[in-house]
Amino acid sequence: MAREQLGVLNALDVAKTQWYHFTAIVIAGMGFFTDAYDLFCISLVTKLLGRIYYTDYDKDKPGTLPPNVAAAVNGVALCGTLAGQLFFGWLGDKLGRKKVYGITLILMVVCSLASGLSFGGTPEGTIATLCFFRFWLGFGIGGDYPLSATIMSEYANKKTRGAFIAAVFAMQGFGILAGGIVGLIVSSAFDHRFKTPRYSVSRRASLAPQADYIWRIILMFGALPAALTYYWRMKMPETARYTALVAKNAKQAAADMSKVLHVDLEAEEAKVRKLATEQSNSFGLFSKEFAKRHGLHLVGTTTTWFLLDIAFYSQNLFQKDIFSAINWIPKAAEMNAIHEVYRIARAQTLIALCSTVPGYWFTVFLIDYMGRFAIQLMGFFFMTVFMFALAIPYHHWTLKPNRIGFVVIYSLTFFFANFGPNATTFVVPAEIFPARLRSTCHGISAAAGKAGAIVGAFGFLYAAQSQDKTKTDAGYPPGIGVKNSLIALGVINFFGMLFTLLVPESKGKSLEELTGENEENDAETQDAGTARTVPV
């Protein structure tokens, strides 16, 4: 049986949408803008790094990063992100959301700048330095996932909470778009200033010495949006749910939210003390009670995020390879080094503008009407359909008259990833777990996602190679080819649909109603606390 809700939490649940909601979205969202920019801008410059540091001018093709180096450059930030999600997710529940929030941002600013300043006397030394700083950049980015989601969920009202959390995550789309735009501007400026021939015309002359600045500028730009939001992050008060339910400080929670909501709120210290003694507010992550109440939920959020990110990151990080495979981007020998960056950035910008960004905002506008479960199931379904539509007649799409059709369907898979599980897997873990474990469980779910991203990034790097030894990239063994890789990703998306059945619907309910933190401690509510796993 549910008891009366704490006044300060009820005020947050029923508050009308107002200025502080939008402020919180922008402050948390700019972190995600930076996260996406930093994670995905590396795909713009890996071809350039190969040309600068690994070109053998005796060969007919410009240099590419060796397989182990490419894997490290593309994957090291994801490894750092995974570690950061686990560590900062746990720390956010121990020290509070606000205290940890600033640390992650400082780490992102410093390491973005340091990545662009990577140095070394040899190509290996420069790449090693770059990988070192990108690991710690990823570590900071990892902290932003559980903290941003948890802060937004605990600030939002229950009617539009899904839209607010999704809006924070939707800034990722603008970050990916910004990466493409910055790449376009920088490469275009250098291409106009330093005229160089194609590699096939003059191998040495095709690489302007100034090209080394391009990748550094693109990577360092990620520090700017993060630095601009630091002051505002530090001004945000701690969330009332952490202060009242975890820190047990009713007076501080009421004072903080009175300022935010511009209303007078009573400090219900006796009620907070009583809530603290309830069994529903004391079990730990590794307890039988947690397994009973939320075990299947955690399995659902981790597996769906893991499966999604295998598909999502393999597509995103290796767009350039897929576009090259269908000849949408010319062969490397037919471009100079700077123009290659421009063509890759243009392709990424087009995909982001036409499918990635719109997909995120469809979720924002519809998540509180359709519900999380319906959007996630629909997204996985259409991703499966479109992956098979690309894969089965793959030869058809490689023919010149059909390439635009390939790009359209490929774009639709991104649209339904973002108007689907890429957004909902971020939203749901921030809603369905208790306040004292919310950041930790979101971090675990997000880390499972990044494990999937690592599988996608490293696996697709090798798997997408041609089955013909003569057509593989330098240093790579034959793979299963793009066609079979796309079939594998379609199967993965199908399993994502199945595991979505373990994820509860959280639309329109208060956080305490979802987690059972506001219930009387009796046998009846022990059973009620085990929230259903299949929505009705």
Side-chain angles (χ1 to χ4, degrees):
M1 179 177 166
R3 67 171 79 247
E4 184 183 351
Q5 174 75 302
L6 282 173
V8 64
L9 304 186
N10 186 62
L12 284 166
D13 281 341
V14 301
K16 291 182 179 179
T17 300
Q18 50 193 281
W19 182 247
Y20 85 88
H21 286 122
F22 295 108
T23 304
I25 289 170
V26 171
I27 294 169
M30 285 308 291
F32 259 85
F33 176 97
T34 307
D35 297 348
Y37 181 95
D38 288 333
L39 284 177
F40 294 112
C41 69
I42 195 67
S43 66
L44 298 171
V45 300
T46 49
K47 294 278 192 183
L48 179 61
L49 289 171
R51 284 200 187 226
I52 293 172
Y53 296 111
Y54 292 94
T55 294
D56 181 349
Y57 292 109
D58 293 329
K59 294 186 177 179
D60 294 333
K61 293 181 181 179
T64 57
L65 295 177
N68 60 329
V69 175
V73 169
N74 283 298
V76 70
L78 301 178
C79 296
T81 303
L82 188 156
Q85 286 164 335
L86 292 173
F87 176 72
F88 286 115
W90 168 79
L91 204 61
D93 283 332
K94 294 298 178 185
L95 300 183
R97 291 53 161 134
K98 180 184 173 180
K99 286 182 181 177
V100 184
Y101 215 22
I103 299 171
T104 63
L105 209 59
I106 291 171
L107 203 53
M108 287 157 60
V109 171
V110 171
C111 292
S112 287
L113 293 173
S115 295
L117 297 173
S118 298
F119 56 87
T122 63
E124 292 77 11
T126 303
I127 296 296
T129 309
L130 172 63
C131 288
F132 174 81
F133 288 123
R134 280 193 62 79
F135 175 86
W136 291 107
L137 172 64
F139 193 70
I141 289 170
D144 226 41
Y145 275 73
L147 294 169
S148 291
T150 300
I151 285 171
M152 198 65 245
S153 73
E154 294 181 346
Y155 262 103
N157 61 54
K158 64 183 180 181
K159 184 178 179 182
T160 55
R161 185 179 61 240
F164 290 157
I165 305 172
V168 169
F169 194 64
M171 294 299 287
Q172 190 178 75
F174 288 122
I176 295 170
L177 179 62
I181 292 172
V182 170
L184 278 173
I185 293 170
V186 174
S187 60
S188 182
F190 275 76
D191 205 17
H192 281 82
R193 176 66 179 82
F194 306 104
K195 299 290 186 182
T196 56
R198 300 191 306 270
Y199 184 86
S200 59
V201 173
S202 177
R203 296 176 184 180
R204 290 186 180 276
S206 70
L207 177 62
Q210 295 82 2
D212 190 58
Y213 294 115
I214 294 175
W215 69 269
R216 297 178 185 276
I217 292 169
I218 291 172
L219 295 186
M220 291 172 73
F221 186 84
L224 184 61
L228 291 175
T229 55
Y230 179 77
Y231 171 76
W232 298 107
R233 278 200 181 187
M234 293 302 93
K235 283 194 69 176
M236 287 180 77
E238 182 58 87
T239 70
R241 285 182 161 90
Y242 180 85
T243 306
L245 298 177
V246 183
K248 310 294 191 297
N249 189 337
K251 188 175 181 181
Q252 187 65 51
D256 287 342
M257 292 306 105
S258 293
K259 292 177 184 176
V260 168
L261 298 171
H262 304 292
V263 295
D264 292 325
L265 294 169
E266 181 185 351
E268 301 167 293
E269 295 184 31
K271 192 180 286 187
V272 166
R273 282 196 299 271
K274 188 170 184 182
L275 277 172
T277 64
E278 296 287 349
Q279 184 185 349
S280 61
N281 294 321
S282 59
F283 59 82
L285 180 64
F286 300 105
S287 65
K288 289 182 179 179
E289 188 65 21
F290 178 87
K292 178 182 175 184
R293 288 172 175 257
H294 301 292
L296 283 177
H297 299 162
L298 189 58
V299 170
T301 58
T302 52
T303 51
T304 52
W305 207 335
F306 173 78
L307 294 167
L308 164 76
D309 274 8
I310 292 176
F312 186 77
Y313 276 80
S314 61
Q315 284 177 273
N316 241 322
L317 286 170
F318 300 104
Q319 278 183 22
K320 61 189 185 304
D321 298 313
I322 290 175
F323 291 141
S324 296
I326 63 164
N327 300 316
W328 207 48
I329 294 176
K331 294 186 182 301
E334 298 305 313
M335 297 178 283
N336 65 48
I338 298 173
H339 190 66
E340 186 174 34
V341 176
Y342 174 82
R343 295 297 290 261
I344 293 168
R346 190 176 72 172
Q348 179 169 309
T349 302
L350 184 63
I351 291 293
L353 197 59
C354 296
S355 62
T356 306
V357 171
Y360 281 115
W361 289 96
F362 264 73
T363 300
V364 172
F365 292 126
L366 294 174
I367 191 169
D368 287 311
Y369 296 96
M370 291 178 63
R372 289 71 159 148
F373 179 82
I375 288 177
Q376 184 162 312
L377 199 66
M378 175 196 69
F380 271 128
F381 172 77
F382 282 111
M383 287 173 72
T384 304
V385 169
F386 289 127
M387 283 291 187
F388 286 135
L390 290 174
I392 294 168
Y394 181 71
H395 176 71
H396 167 81
W397 298 120
T398 62
L399 302 176
K400 193 170 184 177
N402 306 321
R403 288 173 194 161
I404 297 301
F406 180 97
V407 174
V408 169
I409 296 179
Y410 182 73
S411 298
L412 285 170
T413 64
F414 273 103
F415 176 82
F416 282 104
N418 296 313
F419 181 32
N422 195 37
T424 54
T425 52
F426 177 80
V427 172
V428 174
E431 299 179 305
I432 63 174
F433 298 107
R436 67 190 177 282
L437 300 171
R438 185 169 291 132
S439 180
T440 301
C441 289
H442 194 285
I444 292 169
S445 301
K450 281 301 167 284
I454 292 165
V455 171
F458 287 89
F460 198 81
L461 191 66
Y462 290 90
Q465 294 297 318
S466 173
Q467 293 172 298
D468 183 346
K469 287 184 179 181
T470 63
K471 295 181 180 179
T472 60
D473 292 337
Y476 286 85
I480 60 174
V482 174
K483 175 178 179 174
N484 291 328
S485 296
L486 290 171
I487 290 174
L489 294 177
V491 172
I492 286 167
N493 289 324
F494 176 75
F495 278 102
M497 272 197 298
L498 298 182
F499 280 102
T500 295
L501 298 174
L502 297 177
V503 180
E505 179 58 75
S506 49
K507 179 181 74 172
K509 295 184 177 182
S510 75
L511 296 178
E512 288 68 45
E513 187 180 356
L514 286 163
T515 62
E517 289 171 284
N518 200 37
E519 291 174 346
E520 299 281 3
N521 187 22
D522 58 31
E524 181 183 345
T525 50
Q526 290 295 312
D527 293 333
T530 57
R532 56 180 164 72
T533 58
V534 181
V536 292

